[in-house]
Amino acid sequence: MVTKIGKRRTYVVAGFLKVLSEINCIIFTTKKIFPYLSYLRLDQMPDIFALVDCNNFYVSCEKIFKPGLENKPVVVLSNNDGCIIARSDESKNLGIKMGIPVFEISQIIKKNKVHVFSTNYALYGDISERVMNLLSEMAPEIEIYSIDEAFLDLSHIPQTELNETGRKIIEKIKMFTGIPVSIGFGPTKTLAKAANMLAKTSKKNQGVFSLVNNPDAEKIFNKIKINEIWGIGEKYMAFFNRTGIMSAYDLQHANENRIRERLGIVGQRLVLELRGTVCYPLNQNPDVKKEICTSRSFGHPVTSLEELEEATASYVAKAAQKLRKQKSMANSLMLFIMTNKYAKGPQYVNYRIVKMPSPTNQTQELIHFAQIALKRLFRKGYYYKKAGVIVSDVAPSNQVQTSIWEPSTREKNQSILKAVDAINAKTGKEQVKFAIQGNEETWKMRQHNLSPQYTTRWRDILEVNMDH
DNA sequence: TCTGGGGTCCTAGGACCC
DNA sequence: TCTGGGGTCCTAGGACCC
Protein backbone atom coordinates (compact mmCIF):
# COMPACT_ATOMS: atom_id res chain seq x y z
CA MET A 1 0.00 0.00 0.00
CA VAL A 2 2.69 2.37 1.05
CA THR A 3 4.81 1.65 -2.01
CA LYS A 4 1.80 2.15 -4.21
CA ILE A 5 1.21 5.57 -2.82
CA GLY A 6 4.89 6.27 -3.21
CA LYS A 7 4.85 5.27 -6.84
CA ARG A 8 1.71 7.18 -7.48
CA ARG A 9 3.30 10.25 -6.00
CA THR A 10 6.30 9.92 -8.20
CA TYR A 11 4.03 9.60 -11.16
CA VAL A 12 2.07 12.64 -10.15
CA VAL A 13 5.24 14.67 -9.68
CA ALA A 14 6.66 13.54 -13.01
CA GLY A 15 3.41 14.40 -14.73
CA PHE A 16 3.37 17.78 -13.08
CA LEU A 17 6.90 18.50 -14.24
CA LYS A 18 5.97 17.53 -17.77
CA VAL A 19 3.01 19.88 -17.67
CA LEU A 20 5.27 22.57 -16.28
CA SER A 21 7.77 22.21 -19.09
CA GLU A 22 4.96 22.41 -21.61
CA ILE A 23 3.63 25.51 -19.95
CA ASN A 24 7.17 26.81 -20.11
CA CYS A 25 7.23 26.55 -23.91
CA ILE A 26 3.84 28.12 -24.17
CA ILE A 27 4.86 30.96 -21.91
CA PHE A 28 7.88 31.72 -24.02
CA THR A 29 5.85 31.89 -27.18
CA THR A 30 2.92 33.72 -25.67
CA LYS A 31 4.69 36.08 -23.29
CA LYS A 32 3.88 38.97 -25.52
CA ILE A 33 0.19 38.10 -25.61
CA PHE A 34 -0.07 37.46 -21.88
CA PRO A 35 2.52 39.69 -20.26
CA TYR A 36 1.12 38.90 -16.83
CA LEU A 37 2.66 35.47 -17.15
CA SER A 38 6.11 36.92 -17.44
CA TYR A 39 6.92 36.45 -13.77
CA LEU A 40 7.30 32.77 -14.51
CA ARG A 41 10.78 31.81 -15.57
CA LEU A 42 10.91 28.06 -15.56
CA ASP A 43 14.31 27.75 -17.17
CA GLN A 44 17.21 26.90 -14.87
CA MET A 45 15.66 27.48 -11.47
CA PRO A 46 17.90 26.48 -8.61
CA ASP A 47 16.11 25.03 -5.57
CA ILE A 48 18.51 26.61 -3.14
CA PHE A 49 20.08 29.99 -3.54
CA ALA A 50 22.84 31.17 -1.26
CA LEU A 51 23.69 34.81 -0.87
CA VAL A 52 27.24 35.43 0.30
CA ASP A 53 27.83 38.97 1.50
CA CYS A 54 31.09 40.43 2.81
CA ASN A 55 30.67 42.08 6.19
CA ASN A 56 31.41 45.83 6.17
CA PHE A 57 33.39 45.13 3.02
CA TYR A 58 35.44 48.32 2.51
CA VAL A 59 36.28 48.53 6.19
CA SER A 60 37.25 44.85 6.23
CA CYS A 61 39.59 45.49 3.27
CA GLU A 62 41.34 48.27 5.19
CA LYS A 63 41.63 46.04 8.25
CA ILE A 64 43.44 43.23 6.41
CA PHE A 65 46.66 45.20 6.32
CA LYS A 66 46.26 46.99 9.63
CA PRO A 67 45.54 44.38 12.31
CA GLY A 68 45.67 47.16 14.90
CA LEU A 69 42.23 48.29 13.69
CA GLU A 70 40.56 45.18 15.10
CA ASN A 71 37.78 46.16 17.54
CA LYS A 72 38.32 49.84 16.75
CA PRO A 73 35.76 52.15 15.13
CA VAL A 74 36.61 52.56 11.44
CA VAL A 75 34.83 54.31 8.56
CA VAL A 76 35.45 54.62 4.83
CA LEU A 77 34.43 57.76 2.95
CA SER A 78 32.90 58.29 -0.48
CA ASN A 79 34.74 59.99 -3.32
CA ASN A 80 35.89 63.50 -2.48
CA ASP A 81 35.91 62.45 1.19
CA GLY A 82 32.25 63.45 1.31
CA CYS A 83 30.03 60.87 2.98
CA ILE A 84 30.28 57.75 5.12
CA ILE A 85 29.89 54.69 2.89
CA ALA A 86 31.21 51.89 5.13
CA ARG A 87 31.36 51.40 8.88
CA SER A 88 32.81 48.82 11.22
CA ASP A 89 30.45 47.39 13.85
CA GLU A 90 32.06 49.66 16.43
CA SER A 91 31.26 52.72 14.30
CA LYS A 92 27.69 51.55 13.83
CA ASN A 93 27.39 51.27 17.61
CA LEU A 94 28.51 54.87 17.92
CA GLY A 95 25.40 55.81 15.96
CA ILE A 96 27.23 56.74 12.77
CA LYS A 97 24.66 56.42 10.00
CA MET A 98 25.22 55.20 6.46
CA GLY A 99 25.54 57.91 3.85
CA ILE A 100 25.73 60.99 6.05
CA PRO A 101 28.24 63.76 5.28
CA VAL A 102 31.37 63.31 7.34
CA PHE A 103 31.50 66.93 8.56
CA GLU A 104 28.22 66.40 10.39
CA ILE A 105 29.81 63.85 12.70
CA SER A 106 33.27 65.37 13.08
CA GLN A 107 32.68 65.60 16.84
CA ILE A 108 31.91 61.89 17.17
CA ILE A 109 34.98 61.05 15.10
CA LYS A 110 37.25 63.18 17.23
CA LYS A 111 35.85 62.09 20.56
CA ASN A 112 35.96 58.36 19.81
CA LYS A 113 39.16 58.36 17.76
CA VAL A 114 37.37 56.87 14.76
CA HIS A 115 39.82 55.79 12.05
CA VAL A 116 38.87 57.45 8.77
CA PHE A 117 39.86 56.24 5.28
CA SER A 118 39.36 57.72 1.85
CA THR A 119 37.86 55.26 -0.60
CA ASN A 120 40.45 53.01 -2.27
CA TYR A 121 38.71 51.25 -5.15
CA ALA A 122 41.89 49.73 -6.53
CA LEU A 123 42.29 47.80 -3.29
CA TYR A 124 38.61 46.85 -2.84
CA GLY A 125 38.28 45.73 -6.45
CA ASP A 126 41.26 43.43 -6.17
CA ILE A 127 40.17 41.87 -2.87
CA SER A 128 36.69 41.40 -4.31
CA GLU A 129 38.12 39.48 -7.24
CA ARG A 130 39.94 37.14 -4.87
CA VAL A 131 36.78 36.47 -2.85
CA MET A 132 34.73 35.82 -6.00
CA ASN A 133 37.35 33.44 -7.40
CA LEU A 134 37.20 31.38 -4.21
CA LEU A 135 33.39 31.31 -4.30
CA SER A 136 33.44 30.14 -7.92
CA GLU A 137 35.41 27.11 -6.82
CA MET A 138 32.79 26.21 -4.22
CA ALA A 139 29.60 26.25 -6.31
CA PRO A 140 28.65 25.05 -9.79
CA GLU A 141 26.98 28.36 -10.68
CA ILE A 142 27.65 31.83 -9.38
CA GLU A 143 26.29 35.30 -10.07
CA ILE A 144 28.50 38.15 -8.95
CA TYR A 145 25.89 40.65 -7.87
CA SER A 146 28.03 43.51 -6.61
CA ILE A 147 31.54 44.23 -5.43
CA ASP A 148 30.83 42.45 -2.14
CA GLU A 149 27.98 40.03 -2.87
CA ALA A 150 27.38 36.88 -4.89
CA PHE A 151 24.48 34.47 -5.36
CA LEU A 152 25.39 30.78 -5.53
CA ASP A 153 23.35 27.82 -6.75
CA LEU A 154 23.65 25.24 -3.97
CA SER A 155 20.77 22.99 -5.04
CA HIS A 156 23.05 19.97 -4.87
CA ILE A 157 23.62 20.33 -1.13
CA PRO A 158 21.23 18.32 1.10
CA GLN A 159 19.16 20.59 3.31
CA THR A 160 20.56 19.06 6.48
CA GLU A 161 24.09 20.02 5.45
CA LEU A 162 23.43 23.64 4.55
CA ASN A 163 24.61 25.14 7.82
CA GLU A 164 27.80 23.17 7.81
CA THR A 165 28.49 24.10 4.18
CA GLY A 166 27.90 27.73 5.07
CA ARG A 167 30.38 27.61 7.90
CA LYS A 168 32.98 25.98 5.65
CA ILE A 169 32.62 28.74 3.08
CA ILE A 170 32.99 31.41 5.74
CA GLU A 171 36.10 29.74 7.10
CA LYS A 172 37.73 29.38 3.71
CA ILE A 173 37.13 32.98 2.63
CA LYS A 174 38.45 34.24 5.95
CA MET A 175 41.54 32.09 5.74
CA PHE A 176 42.50 32.96 2.16
CA THR A 177 41.54 36.64 2.04
CA GLY A 178 41.01 37.82 5.62
CA ILE A 179 37.48 38.99 4.77
CA PRO A 180 34.56 37.97 7.04
CA VAL A 181 31.39 36.98 5.15
CA SER A 182 27.80 36.01 6.01
CA ILE A 183 25.62 33.50 4.18
CA GLY A 184 21.86 33.21 3.77
CA PHE A 185 20.01 30.31 2.13
CA GLY A 186 16.59 30.46 0.55
CA PRO A 187 14.45 28.98 -2.22
CA THR A 188 14.52 32.34 -4.04
CA LYS A 189 16.97 35.21 -4.25
CA THR A 190 14.69 37.46 -2.20
CA LEU A 191 14.49 34.85 0.56
CA ALA A 192 18.25 34.23 0.43
CA LYS A 193 18.72 37.97 0.88
CA ALA A 194 16.39 37.98 3.89
CA ALA A 195 18.19 34.96 5.35
CA ASN A 196 21.49 36.76 4.91
CA MET A 197 20.20 39.73 6.85
CA LEU A 198 19.18 37.39 9.68
CA ALA A 199 22.57 35.68 9.55
CA LYS A 200 24.20 39.06 10.15
CA THR A 201 21.90 40.54 12.77
CA SER A 202 21.82 37.68 15.25
CA LYS A 203 25.06 36.66 16.97
CA LYS A 204 23.90 33.13 17.68
CA ASN A 205 23.53 32.39 13.96
CA GLN A 206 27.30 32.78 13.53
CA GLY A 207 26.96 34.26 10.08
CA VAL A 208 24.78 31.49 8.60
CA PHE A 209 21.00 31.30 8.32
CA SER A 210 18.60 29.24 6.23
CA LEU A 211 15.04 29.95 5.16
CA VAL A 212 14.81 26.70 3.22
CA ASN A 213 11.84 24.87 4.79
CA ASN A 214 12.44 26.64 8.06
CA PRO A 215 9.90 25.37 10.63
CA ASP A 216 9.73 28.78 12.33
CA ALA A 217 9.03 30.59 9.07
CA GLU A 218 5.80 32.28 10.18
CA LYS A 219 7.35 33.71 13.31
CA ILE A 220 10.41 34.88 11.39
CA PHE A 221 8.49 36.53 8.54
CA ASN A 222 6.35 38.38 11.04
CA LYS A 223 9.48 39.96 12.44
CA ILE A 224 10.92 41.09 9.11
CA LYS A 225 9.85 44.67 8.50
CA ILE A 226 8.55 45.51 5.06
CA ASN A 227 11.38 47.94 4.28
CA GLU A 228 13.97 45.29 5.10
CA ILE A 229 12.92 43.26 2.09
CA TRP A 230 15.13 43.40 -0.98
CA GLY A 231 13.47 45.56 -3.62
CA ILE A 232 11.41 47.71 -1.29
CA GLY A 233 12.61 51.28 -1.05
CA GLU A 234 11.13 54.49 0.23
CA LYS A 235 8.21 54.78 -2.19
CA TYR A 236 7.09 51.17 -2.01
CA MET A 237 7.33 51.21 1.78
CA ALA A 238 5.04 54.23 1.90
CA PHE A 239 2.55 52.44 -0.33
CA PHE A 240 2.61 49.25 1.74
CA ASN A 241 2.27 51.13 5.00
CA ARG A 242 -0.77 52.95 3.64
CA THR A 243 -2.37 49.62 2.82
CA GLY A 244 -1.54 48.12 6.21
CA ILE A 245 1.15 45.73 4.96
CA MET A 246 3.86 46.04 7.58
CA SER A 247 5.85 42.78 7.59
CA ALA A 248 7.17 40.16 5.21
CA TYR A 249 4.40 37.90 6.48
CA ASP A 250 1.75 40.48 5.54
CA LEU A 251 3.17 40.80 2.04
CA GLN A 252 3.31 37.04 1.57
CA HIS A 253 -0.41 36.88 2.31
CA ALA A 254 -1.41 40.04 0.47
CA ASN A 255 -3.75 40.08 -2.51
CA GLU A 256 -1.37 39.49 -5.38
CA ASN A 257 -3.62 41.02 -8.02
CA ARG A 258 -4.14 44.22 -6.12
CA ILE A 259 -0.39 44.61 -5.68
CA ARG A 260 0.06 43.95 -9.38
CA GLU A 261 -2.45 46.69 -10.24
CA ARG A 262 -0.62 49.27 -8.16
CA LEU A 263 3.05 48.28 -8.47
CA GLY A 264 3.08 46.35 -11.73
CA ILE A 265 5.12 43.28 -12.41
CA VAL A 266 7.81 44.37 -9.97
CA GLY A 267 5.37 44.28 -7.06
CA GLN A 268 3.91 40.95 -8.09
CA ARG A 269 7.37 39.42 -8.25
CA LEU A 270 8.06 40.64 -4.72
CA VAL A 271 5.05 38.70 -3.43
CA LEU A 272 5.84 35.56 -5.40
CA GLU A 273 9.50 35.49 -4.46
CA LEU A 274 8.56 35.82 -0.79
CA ARG A 275 6.22 32.87 -1.22
CA GLY A 276 9.06 30.81 -2.68
CA THR A 277 8.36 31.09 -6.42
CA VAL A 278 11.49 31.91 -8.38
CA CYS A 279 11.09 35.03 -10.51
CA TYR A 280 14.75 35.99 -10.70
CA PRO A 281 16.98 33.16 -11.89
CA LEU A 282 20.73 33.17 -11.56
CA ASN A 283 22.23 35.60 -14.05
CA GLN A 284 25.65 34.30 -14.92
CA ASN A 285 27.00 36.84 -17.34
CA PRO A 286 25.91 40.28 -16.30
CA ASP A 287 29.38 41.63 -16.91
CA VAL A 288 28.91 43.57 -20.13
CA LYS A 289 27.54 46.98 -19.23
CA LYS A 290 24.76 48.61 -21.23
CA GLU A 291 25.84 52.05 -20.21
CA ILE A 292 28.97 53.40 -18.60
CA CYS A 293 29.04 56.47 -16.42
CA THR A 294 32.05 58.40 -15.18
CA SER A 295 31.32 61.40 -13.02
CA ARG A 296 33.01 63.18 -10.14
CA SER A 297 32.56 66.10 -7.82
CA PHE A 298 35.40 68.58 -7.97
CA GLY A 299 37.71 69.16 -5.06
CA HIS A 300 37.13 72.92 -5.44
CA PRO A 301 34.49 74.94 -7.27
CA VAL A 302 35.36 75.29 -10.97
CA THR A 303 34.53 78.42 -12.97
CA SER A 304 36.48 78.32 -16.23
CA LEU A 305 35.67 76.51 -19.43
CA GLU A 306 39.27 75.31 -19.67
CA GLU A 307 39.12 73.47 -16.36
CA LEU A 308 35.80 71.88 -17.28
CA GLU A 309 37.31 70.79 -20.59
CA GLU A 310 40.18 69.10 -18.78
CA ALA A 311 37.96 67.38 -16.26
CA THR A 312 35.35 66.15 -18.73
CA ALA A 313 38.04 64.98 -21.16
CA SER A 314 39.51 62.91 -18.33
CA TYR A 315 36.11 61.39 -17.54
CA VAL A 316 35.55 60.60 -21.20
CA ALA A 317 38.97 58.93 -21.36
CA LYS A 318 38.01 56.72 -18.40
CA ALA A 319 34.66 55.79 -19.91
CA ALA A 320 36.29 55.03 -23.29
CA GLN A 321 38.83 52.82 -21.60
CA LYS A 322 36.07 50.88 -19.83
CA LEU A 323 34.32 50.47 -23.19
CA ARG A 324 37.45 49.03 -24.78
CA LYS A 325 38.00 46.75 -21.82
CA GLN A 326 34.61 45.10 -22.29
CA LYS A 327 35.07 45.18 -26.09
CA SER A 328 32.12 47.44 -26.74
CA MET A 329 31.29 50.59 -28.64
CA ALA A 330 28.83 53.31 -27.78
CA ASN A 331 26.38 55.03 -30.08
CA SER A 332 25.53 57.89 -27.86
CA LEU A 333 27.20 60.12 -25.30
CA MET A 334 25.66 62.29 -22.61
CA LEU A 335 27.49 65.08 -20.85
CA PHE A 336 26.26 66.95 -17.80
CA ILE A 337 27.56 69.76 -15.63
CA MET A 338 26.10 71.12 -12.42
CA THR A 339 26.65 73.65 -9.66
CA ASN A 340 26.61 72.76 -5.95
CA LYS A 341 22.99 72.09 -5.05
CA TYR A 342 23.71 72.68 -1.36
CA ALA A 343 25.33 76.10 -1.86
CA LYS A 344 23.37 79.35 -1.78
CA GLY A 345 24.62 80.90 -5.06
CA PRO A 346 22.93 80.76 -8.48
CA GLN A 347 22.24 77.22 -9.68
CA TYR A 348 22.74 75.71 -13.10
CA VAL A 349 22.21 72.08 -14.10
CA ASN A 350 22.16 70.99 -17.71
CA TYR A 351 22.97 68.07 -19.96
CA ARG A 352 23.34 67.34 -23.62
CA ILE A 353 23.05 64.09 -25.54
CA VAL A 354 25.16 63.54 -28.65
CA LYS A 355 24.23 60.82 -31.11
CA MET A 356 27.44 59.86 -32.81
CA PRO A 357 27.62 59.34 -36.57
CA SER A 358 29.06 55.88 -36.03
CA PRO A 359 29.57 53.83 -32.87
CA THR A 360 33.00 54.16 -31.31
CA ASN A 361 35.17 53.46 -28.29
CA GLN A 362 38.05 55.71 -29.34
CA THR A 363 39.01 58.30 -26.79
CA GLN A 364 39.86 60.96 -29.37
CA GLU A 365 36.48 60.78 -31.08
CA LEU A 366 34.52 60.69 -27.85
CA ILE A 367 36.45 63.66 -26.45
CA HIS A 368 35.70 65.57 -29.65
CA PHE A 369 31.94 65.09 -29.25
CA ALA A 370 32.06 65.78 -25.52
CA GLN A 371 33.85 69.09 -26.16
CA ILE A 372 31.16 70.16 -28.63
CA ALA A 373 28.50 69.34 -26.05
CA LEU A 374 30.39 71.15 -23.30
CA LYS A 375 30.78 74.36 -25.30
CA ARG A 376 27.04 74.47 -25.80
CA LEU A 377 26.30 73.71 -22.17
CA PHE A 378 28.78 76.05 -20.56
CA ARG A 379 27.50 79.30 -19.05
CA LYS A 380 29.85 81.84 -17.56
CA GLY A 381 29.56 83.02 -13.99
CA TYR A 382 28.67 79.80 -12.20
CA TYR A 383 30.60 77.79 -9.64
CA TYR A 384 30.56 74.27 -11.02
CA LYS A 385 30.74 71.39 -8.56
CA LYS A 386 30.37 68.28 -10.61
CA ALA A 387 30.45 66.98 -14.16
CA GLY A 388 30.03 63.61 -15.76
CA VAL A 389 29.74 61.62 -18.92
CA ILE A 390 27.52 58.65 -19.71
CA VAL A 391 28.08 56.58 -22.82
CA SER A 392 25.08 54.48 -23.75
CA ASP A 393 23.47 52.49 -26.51
CA VAL A 394 26.42 50.16 -26.06
CA ALA A 395 26.97 47.18 -28.35
CA PRO A 396 29.73 44.60 -28.73
CA SER A 397 32.47 45.84 -31.05
CA ASN A 398 32.18 42.89 -33.39
CA GLN A 399 28.46 43.39 -33.92
CA VAL A 400 28.64 47.04 -34.77
CA GLN A 401 27.48 48.34 -38.14
CA THR A 402 30.26 50.14 -39.93
CA SER A 403 29.35 53.41 -41.50
CA ILE A 404 30.57 55.29 -44.53
CA TRP A 405 31.16 58.21 -42.18
CA GLU A 406 33.66 56.26 -40.18
CA PRO A 407 36.87 58.30 -39.84
CA SER A 408 39.70 56.93 -41.92
CA THR A 409 42.05 57.27 -38.93
CA ARG A 410 40.25 54.53 -37.00
CA GLU A 411 42.63 51.71 -37.61
CA LYS A 412 45.76 53.66 -36.82
CA ASN A 413 44.24 55.08 -33.65
CA GLN A 414 43.17 51.64 -32.60
CA SER A 415 46.76 50.50 -32.26
CA ILE A 416 47.78 53.70 -30.48
CA LEU A 417 45.02 53.21 -27.91
CA LYS A 418 45.94 49.59 -27.46
CA ALA A 419 49.45 50.66 -26.51
CA VAL A 420 48.13 53.39 -24.21
CA ASP A 421 45.82 50.94 -22.42
CA ALA A 422 48.67 48.48 -21.99
CA ILE A 423 51.02 51.07 -20.50
CA ASN A 424 48.38 52.46 -18.16
CA ALA A 425 47.34 49.00 -17.02
CA LYS A 426 50.92 48.17 -16.19
CA THR A 427 51.62 51.32 -14.16
CA GLY A 428 48.21 51.31 -12.51
CA LYS A 429 47.49 54.94 -13.31
CA GLU A 430 47.13 57.33 -16.22
CA GLN A 431 50.73 57.49 -17.31
CA VAL A 432 49.82 58.32 -20.91
CA LYS A 433 46.93 60.65 -21.61
CA PHE A 434 45.60 63.22 -24.06
CA ALA A 435 46.88 66.78 -23.87
CA ILE A 436 43.43 68.22 -23.30
CA GLN A 437 43.16 66.25 -20.05
CA GLY A 438 45.76 68.65 -18.65
CA ASN A 439 48.41 68.09 -16.03
CA GLU A 440 47.48 70.37 -13.15
CA GLU A 441 44.20 68.67 -12.28
CA THR A 442 43.18 71.61 -10.12
CA TRP A 443 39.66 70.19 -10.07
CA LYS A 444 40.70 66.80 -8.76
CA MET A 445 38.78 65.33 -5.86
CA ARG A 446 40.05 65.31 -2.31
CA GLN A 447 41.40 62.10 -0.84
CA HIS A 448 43.20 62.98 2.34
CA ASN A 449 43.22 59.59 4.04
CA LEU A 450 44.01 57.21 1.22
CA SER A 451 45.53 53.88 2.18
CA PRO A 452 48.23 52.29 -0.02
CA GLN A 453 47.33 49.96 -2.89
CA TYR A 454 48.77 46.99 -1.05
CA THR A 455 47.83 44.38 -3.63
CA THR A 456 47.92 46.18 -6.96
CA ARG A 457 50.98 48.42 -6.96
CA TRP A 458 54.51 47.14 -6.54
CA ARG A 459 55.80 49.99 -4.45
CA ASP A 460 52.88 49.67 -2.00
CA ILE A 461 53.44 46.04 -1.17
CA LEU A 462 54.03 45.44 2.54
CA GLU A 463 57.49 44.50 3.73
CA VAL A 464 57.82 42.03 6.55
CA ASN A 465 60.62 42.58 9.01
CA MET A 466 62.11 39.17 9.88
CA ASP A 467 64.26 40.47 12.74
CA HIS A 468 61.36 40.42 15.18
C1' DT B 1 -22.88 64.64 -39.82
C1' DC B 2 -18.93 61.25 -40.90
C1' DT B 3 -11.77 60.99 -39.58
C1' DG B 4 -9.46 53.16 -37.78
C1' DG B 5 -7.05 49.95 -35.54
C1' DG B 6 -3.21 47.43 -34.43
C1' DG B 7 1.38 47.12 -33.90
C1' DT B 8 6.58 48.31 -32.98
C1' DC B 9 10.28 51.04 -31.44
C1' DC B 10 12.28 54.57 -28.79
C1' DT B 11 12.88 57.55 -24.86
C1' DA B 12 12.55 59.84 -20.48
C1' DG B 13 11.66 59.25 -16.01
C1' DG B 14 10.81 56.57 -11.88
C1' DA B 15 11.98 53.08 -8.73
C1' DC B 16 15.30 50.26 -6.86
C1' DC B 17 20.12 48.34 -5.70
C1' DC B 18 25.06 48.43 -3.69
C1' DT C 1 34.97 74.83 3.98
C1' DC C 2 32.53 70.19 3.78
C1' DT C 3 26.95 66.68 1.14
C1' DG C 4 29.37 59.83 -3.65
C1' DG C 5 29.25 57.17 -7.78
C1' DG C 6 27.70 53.55 -10.84
C1' DG C 7 24.32 50.59 -12.29
C1' DT C 8 19.53 47.83 -13.70
C1' DC C 9 14.74 47.16 -14.93
C1' DC C 10 10.02 48.72 -15.89
C1' DT C 11 6.44 51.77 -17.72
C1' DA C 12 3.88 55.28 -20.08
C1' DG C 13 3.54 57.90 -23.90
C1' DG C 14 4.93 59.65 -28.38
C1' DA C 15 6.40 58.82 -33.15
C1' DC C 16 5.84 56.15 -36.79
C1' DC C 17 4.21 52.38 -39.85
C1' DC C 18 0.76 49.84 -42.62
Side-chain angles (χ1 to χ4, degrees), chain A residues 116-171:
Chain A
V116 179
F117 291 92
S118 299
T119 189
N120 186 345
Y121 281 114
L123 175 66
Y124 313 150
D126 183 65
I127 302 294
S128 169
E129 211 179 304
R130 291 163 196 244
V131 172
M132 298 307 170
N133 285 341
L134 285 167
L135 288 176
S136 311
E137 291 169 12
M138 293 185 271
E141 317 282 358
I142 171 172
E143 172 186 342
I144 297 173
Y145 179 69
S146 74
I147 194 163
D148 72 333
E149 274 173 83
F151 287 103
L152 311 180
D153 175 358
L154 291 186
S155 309
H156 62 292
I157 309 276
Q159 262 179 53
T160 47
E161 293 171 24
L162 279 178
N163 281 330
E164 200 198 326
T165 307
R167 274 193 286 276
K168 274 187 193 154
I169 293 176
I170 291 175
E171 201 177 305

Side-chain angles (χ1 to χ4, degrees), chain A residues 6 25 55 92 140 172 196 199 204 210 228 240 253 260 287 294 299 306 444 446 468:
Chain A
C25 299
N55 302 344
K92 288 176 189 171
K172 186 160 181 189
N196 186 281
K204 71 167 200 275
S210 172
E228 291 173 332
F240 285 130
H253 295 84
R260 161 111 202 179
D287 260 5
T294 307
E306 290 70 34
K444 201 120 204 203
R446 283 184 302 269
H468 295 291

Side-chain angles (χ1 to χ4, degrees), chain A residues 75-86:
Chain A
V75 295
V76 174
L77 305 181
S78 64
N79 270 322
N80 226 15
D81 290 348
C83 299
I84 307 285
I85 54 166

Side-chain angles (χ1 to χ4, degrees), chain A residues 24 44 46 67 80 89 101 105-106 116 169 191-192 203 222 235 253 264 276 285 296 312 315 322 352 417 440:
Chain A
N24 196 11
Q44 47 146 332
N80 226 15
D89 292 340
I105 54 155
S106 50
V116 179
I169 293 176
L191 290 170
K203 270 248 159 66
N222 259 311
K235 295 285 157 71
H253 295 84
N285 33 353
R296 294 280 182 283
T312 52
Y315 303 162
K322 289 184 206 166
R352 204 157 190 110
L417 287 169
E440 301 288 321

Side-chain angles (χ1 to χ4, degrees), chain A residues 289-301:
Chain A
K289 302 270 181 286
K290 292 164 187 170
E291 59 178 45
I292 290 168
C293 172
T294 307
S295 75
R296 294 280 182 283
S297 296
F298 305 131
H300 302 279

Side-chain angles (χ1 to χ4, degrees), chain A residues 7-182:
Chain A
K7 267 185 189 165
R8 193 182 152 75
R9 272 197 190 143
T10 322
Y11 174 74
V12 170
V13 170
F16 182 60
L17 284 179
K18 189 160 172 279
V19 172
L20 271 187
S21 68
E22 277 163 17
I23 292 175
N24 196 11
C25 299
I26 298 166
I27 287 167
F28 275 100
T29 47
T30 56
K31 216 180 232 172
K32 294 198 168 162
I33 310 169
F34 302 111
Y36 57 83
L37 283 177
S38 57
Y39 64 81
L40 267 173
R41 300 280 297 273
L42 296 174
D43 53 329
Q44 47 146 332
M45 314 193 294
D47 295 313
I48 301 175
F49 289 90
L51 176 67
V52 182
D53 191 325
C54 302
N55 302 344
N56 314 330
F57 182 56
Y58 294 174
V59 164
S60 299
C61 288
E62 299 290 349
K63 278 186 178 175
I64 297 175
F65 300 96
K66 290 209 171 83
L69 294 177
E70 206 52 49
N71 303 320
K72 301 262 171 63
V74 180
V75 295
V76 174
L77 305 181
S78 64
N79 270 322
N80 226 15
D81 290 348
C83 299
I84 307 285
I85 54 166
R87 307 156 295 158
S88 67
D89 292 340
E90 297 76 19
S91 302
K92 288 176 189 171
N93 291 338
L94 288 173
I96 297 174
K97 295 265 182 301
M98 181 73 179
I100 56 163
V102 64
F103 68 84
E104 279 181 14
I105 54 155
S106 50
Q107 289 303 318
I108 301 181
I109 290 177
K110 219 173 182 178
K111 201 171 137 203
N112 299 282
K113 300 204 177 80
V114 178
H115 296 77
V116 179
F117 291 92
S118 299
T119 189
N120 186 345
Y121 281 114
L123 175 66
Y124 313 150
D126 183 65
I127 302 294
S128 169
E129 211 179 304
R130 291 163 196 244
V131 172
M132 298 307 170
N133 285 341
L134 285 167
L135 288 176
S136 311
E137 291 169 12
M138 293 185 271
E141 317 282 358
I142 171 172
E143 172 186 342
I144 297 173
Y145 179 69
S146 74
I147 194 163
D148 72 333
E149 274 173 83
F151 287 103
L152 311 180
D153 175 358
L154 291 186
S155 309
H156 62 292
I157 309 276
Q159 262 179 53
T160 47
E161 293 171 24
L162 279 178
N163 281 330
E164 200 198 326
T165 307
R167 274 193 286 276
K168 274 187 193 154
I169 293 176
I170 291 175
E171 201 177 305
K172 186 160 181 189
I173 303 285
K174 178 78 185 176
M175 185 158 78
F176 283 87
T177 66
I179 297 289
V181 302
S182 305

